[in-house]
Amino acid sequence: MGKLAWMACVAAVWAWGAGAQAQPVYKWVDADGKTHYGSQPPPAKQDAEPLKLQSNNGSSGGSTSSGNKGASAKAGQQYNPDGTKKVSKDVEEFGEGLKKSLGTVDSQQAPLNCAVAVDNIHYQADLMLEVGQKNVRDGYMTQAAFDSAAPKIREAKGKYSVSDCQGASGNKKSFYQCMSSSKNHVTGCDKQYKH
């Protein structure tokens, strides 16, 4: 479904600004020299390094006096032509890794569980909306961009239900099965099981 693929891309973009700050993000290189990102290091690679990302206000976390805080943060902040804040190189790098990671499906297939699949889809859509709103508040996304994207996410979310899952066949059923695993994201499942 085209809207779902679009919705998943929005998740990756919105995660760059605010969503990336919510939990530690680890970076590691596998035996083949590929760089990976995740919320937990893989068990075999305990030397994964946590990334230090900027705070959402664009400052590096240093303290300033309360009277000078806004001016100091604004002076060091860079802006895009549309007036939104630019993200740091670390966050941009994380975003690229996140997009790649979200597009990957776990190799261990979960059994179809319509209730879990629908919960996962709805949770991910709600999270995208929440992160989008936070990015608007923090200056990483324009209100117009959010107002354009949010209805599409809500519409896509509304198309998935337990009854739809139970009656699904072909790639749509495979998509629901893919989403039955909490390790998968709509990006990867939609990419693998277009419907």
Side-chain angles (χ1 to χ4, degrees):
M1 167 182 263
K3 287 182 182 169
L4 192 55
W6 180 90
M7 180 174 79
C9 290
V10 170
V13 172
W14 283 354
W16 288 11
Q21 314 301 327
Q23 62 184 0
V25 177
Y26 295 90
K27 174 182 173 183
W28 68 93
V29 179
D30 67 17
D32 297 326
K34 281 179 105 175
T35 302
H36 299 273
Y37 300 87
S39 60
Q40 298 177 338
K45 195 77 170 155
Q46 293 302 321
D47 62 339
E49 63 181 88
L51 293 176
K52 292 181 180 159
L53 305 176
Q54 284 184 316
S55 67
N56 285 339
N57 68 3
S59 68
S60 60
S63 62
T64 60
S65 67
S66 59
N68 199 18
K69 185 176 182 180
S72 177
K74 193 163 185 131
Q77 180 65 54
Q78 294 182 352
Y79 292 86
N80 296 309
D82 66 359
T84 57
K85 294 177 182 177
K86 285 190 176 186
V87 295
S88 71
K89 185 79 169 156
D90 286 346
V91 174
E92 189 175 334
E93 184 180 290
F94 167 72
E96 289 300 320
L98 179 63
K99 270 201 284 190
K100 188 175 182 181
S101 177
L102 292 177
T104 304
V105 172
D106 185 39
S107 60
Q108 293 185 2
Q109 195 171 47
L112 176 63
N113 183 326
C114 289
V116 169
V118 171
D119 281 348
N120 286 338
I121 293 165
H122 289 184
Y123 170 78
Q124 290 175 15
D126 290 341
L127 184 60
M128 285 182 249
L129 292 168
E130 181 183 323
V131 171
Q133 289 169 336
K134 182 167 178 34
N135 282 346
V136 169
R137 281 191 309 271
D138 292 342
Y140 290 99
M141 178 180 223
T142 64
Q143 184 68 51
F146 177 78
D147 290 345
S148 173
K152 295 172 187 173
I153 294 171
R154 289 183 187 108
E155 180 184 349
K157 174 186 169 186
K159 293 183 184 266
Y160 295 96
S161 66
V162 172
S163 60
D164 184 61
C165 174
Q166 291 168 340
S169 62
N171 273 359
K172 192 168 194 181
K173 182 176 182 178
S174 296
F175 169 79
Y176 275 116
Q177 182 172 358
C178 182
M179 288 305 299
S180 295
S181 170
S182 296
K183 294 180 181 178
N184 292 330
H185 192 271
V186 292
T187 305
C189 293
D190 183 58
K191 183 174 152 184
Q192 189 159 338
Y193 303 107
K194 296 267 183 231
H195 60 282

